[in-house]
Amino acid sequence: MSDFWTPRVRCLDPYVPGEQPQDQQYIKLNTNENPYPPSPAVAKALKACDSARLRLYPDPESTALRAELARRFRLDPAQVFVGNGSDEVLAQAFQAFFQRPEPLFFPAISYSFYPVYCRLYGIEARPLPLRGDFEIDTDDYRGECGGVILPNPNAPTGRLLPLDAIERLCRQQPQRVVIVDEAYIDFGGDSAAALLPRHPNLLVIQTFSKSRSLAGLRLGYALGSTELIEGLNRVKNSFNSYPVDSLAQIAAVASLQDEAWFDDCRQRIIATRERCAEALGRLGFRVLPSAANFLFARPPGGNAGELYRTLKARGILLRHFATPELDAWLRITIGTDDDMERLLDSLAELLD
Ligand SMILES: *Cc1c(COP(=O)(O)O)cnc(C)c1O
């Protein structure tokens, strides 16, 4: 604690990202990164860049990138907002829509950045308990609130809500913004972007970090009514007019133009996930159904923390959340078939 800190900074409880160890090579299955490289079109576009152009500011509106995203989702470019990672887009959305006297509804088990933003922006958080098997019941999201946010598929459970449930949430809160954080939607769900024409209060947020193998690029985006996008632009232009750098804009457009690469990578991850879920089941794990690029699984015997540490010592990193509700579980990012083979071999040995 420092006396120089403002009262708000003293109260912060910052987000702790998954480990990014710089010391040794791990089989890294802890932060939901994609095991495959981005489209070769990205490298080609970056190599063609003239570094002299970096003396200029980037296009503050990311016009070409927003046009490409609009085309992909059959929206008007005025319905697309881009930012420096979806975490930043989320932060802007919290300021634009959720700073209200009423509490923000979100699932008690979900992305742990949401309560962090609530503290930062002075928003009352109202985490709503999940039902059996970590299911979300949309009936719990009725009543007075300042807004609703949830990941779909949920993190860290991987469980998917169907689009009719998302639509119910939008209908239940017509005066409030409902944000669906679709960081993992490309691994097995239908995007709520399809509901945008009917629901002006819906904001869909996606990222290039997971399904497009570009976590290092830091690029996320929001899709919504022009009204909501204008709100985001008001916040952005009161904070940083140039959040997305020129290289990121170029690389992202190249990624979007190679649909075949994108489809191939995600199909491979989905296939690996299904094989891995079965194999974990045979080892006695309880595995939740997942529509994401990770599995949420409870090892036999229940000592997930110890298993996490033993695997780390063997060079395999998983994610373990040491909270009362999640302590018995492990979140396992889907890597290559080879990565998963090595994980399964180690587990078979340790659990023998
Ligand atoms: C990974 C993740 C994000 C953050 O994505 P970035 O675009 O890398 O900032 C947002 N929401 C959820 C649920 C995530 O898992």
Side-chain angles (χ1 to χ4, degrees), residues 85-87 90 111 151 155 181 183-184 207 209-210 218-219:
S86 64
D87 285 339
L90 286 165
Y111 191 33
D181 179 353
Y184 302 105
T207 175
S209 295
K210 278 83 185 220
R218 310 306 302 130
L219 205 72

Side-chain angles (χ1 to χ4, degrees), residues 152-286:
N152 195 44
N154 197 9
T157 65
R159 302 218 58 167
L160 180 77
L161 275 182
L163 280 191
D164 62 329
I166 302 293
E167 186 148 38
R168 218 151 42 233
L169 290 172
C170 296
R171 284 219 186 87
Q172 279 170 198
Q173 299 290 350
Q175 306 304 321
R176 289 293 179 252
V177 174
V178 174
I179 295 185
V180 186
D181 179 353
E182 293 188 336
Y184 302 105
I185 198 69
D186 296 323
F187 300 107
D190 292 322
S191 173
L195 306 175
L196 289 173
R198 291 201 292 279
H199 300 282
N201 61 331
L202 171 64
L203 191 75
V204 176
I205 295 183
Q206 297 194 356
T207 175
F208 282 70
S209 295
K210 278 83 185 220
S211 55
R212 290 194 176 268
S213 309
L214 288 168
L217 194 68
R218 310 306 302 130
L219 205 72
Y221 51 99
L223 311 169
S225 57
T226 52
E227 205 181 331
L228 296 191
I229 298 306
E230 196 186 330
L232 288 172
N233 277 317
R234 289 171 69 92
V235 173
K236 170 208 161 226
N237 291 321
S238 306
F239 173 73
N240 176 2
S241 327
Y242 301 105
V244 180
D245 67 76
S246 358
L247 298 177
Q249 293 185 34
I250 288 166
V253 169
S255 164
L256 289 168
Q257 287 172 343
D258 192 351
E259 198 65 10
W261 182 275
F262 167 72
D263 274 330
D264 182 55
C265 286
R266 60 182 180 152
Q267 292 312 332
R268 278 183 358 197
I269 288 168
I270 291 168
T272 305
R273 176 186 74 209
E274 294 310 304
R275 279 196 296 273
C276 186
E278 270 179 39
L280 287 170
R282 283 194 296 272
L283 288 172
F285 278 72
R286 166 111 202 284

Side-chain angles (χ1 to χ4, degrees), residues 29 33 36-37 41 54 99 145 148 154 180 189 212 214 230 272 300 308 323 331 345 350:
L29 308 176
E33 287 146 323
Y36 302 112
L54 289 175
Q99 275 190 309
C145 68
V148 176
N154 197 9
V180 186
R212 290 194 176 268
L214 288 168
E230 196 186 330
T272 305
Y308 155 79
T323 66
R331 193 193 68 188
D345 286 349
L350 293 169

